[in-house]
Amino acid sequence: AGSPADQRLLIQGEVRVSPEVQSQIGAGATVFVYALAEDGSRRPVAIWRGTAAAWPVRFALSDSMGMGAPPLLSSLAQVRLVARISKTGSAQKQEGDFQVELPGVKTGVQGVVLSITGLAP
């Protein structure tokens, strides 16, 4: 499934939540982490989806997690990362979701921390 370059992890980190947020979400809530080009389309260049059995939740993004159209994550010097907790499991943002955005994340970085402290804007 793809070349070794496609599988190379380009951004790694973890999603943390504040105690207030943790008290409002159920076990097994769906967590999305996606990378967006800093300028241009709001279409993610890579998406990771997982469930929160315990916090923090670790994630990793690679080119193989893209939407199948340019730009590739590896072609961008930096991206805007978004972490969202969905109570319904929907990929589309819903009222009541919790979210954080972090602009200016360089590709190739490890140890990114996305801290969710409130509802999605």
Side-chain angles (χ1 to χ4, degrees):
S3 72
D6 292 340
Q7 302 302 319
R8 188 181 54 189
L9 300 176
L10 296 168
I11 299 175
Q12 295 181 11
E14 62 185 29
V15 178
R16 298 178 185 172
V17 295
S18 68
E20 296 78 27
V21 169
Q22 196 166 353
S23 71
Q24 296 178 55
I25 54 177
T30 303
V31 181
F32 293 92
V33 177
Y34 49 98
L36 303 167
E38 286 278 19
D39 52 347
S41 172
R42 294 292 295 170
R43 183 181 50 77
V45 296
I47 302 173
W48 177 90
R49 177 184 176 156
T51 54
W55 298 99
V57 172
R58 296 193 170 281
F59 70 90
L61 297 173
S62 70
D63 280 343
S64 65
M65 298 169 170
M67 304 288 282
L72 292 175
L73 180 58
S74 61
S75 71
L76 301 171
Q78 63 182 29
V79 295
R80 173 182 301 272
L81 283 185
V82 178
R84 185 169 51 81
I85 301 169
S86 171
K87 294 179 184 179
T88 64
S90 172
Q92 297 295 322
K93 185 162 61 170
Q94 310 266 322
E95 187 173 328
D97 286 354
F98 295 93
Q99 179 175 301
V100 65
E101 291 192 29
L102 183 61
V105 177
K106 294 186 183 336
T107 53
V109 72
Q110 296 184 16
V112 174
V113 175
L114 296 165
S115 294
I116 299 177
T117 59
L119 290 172

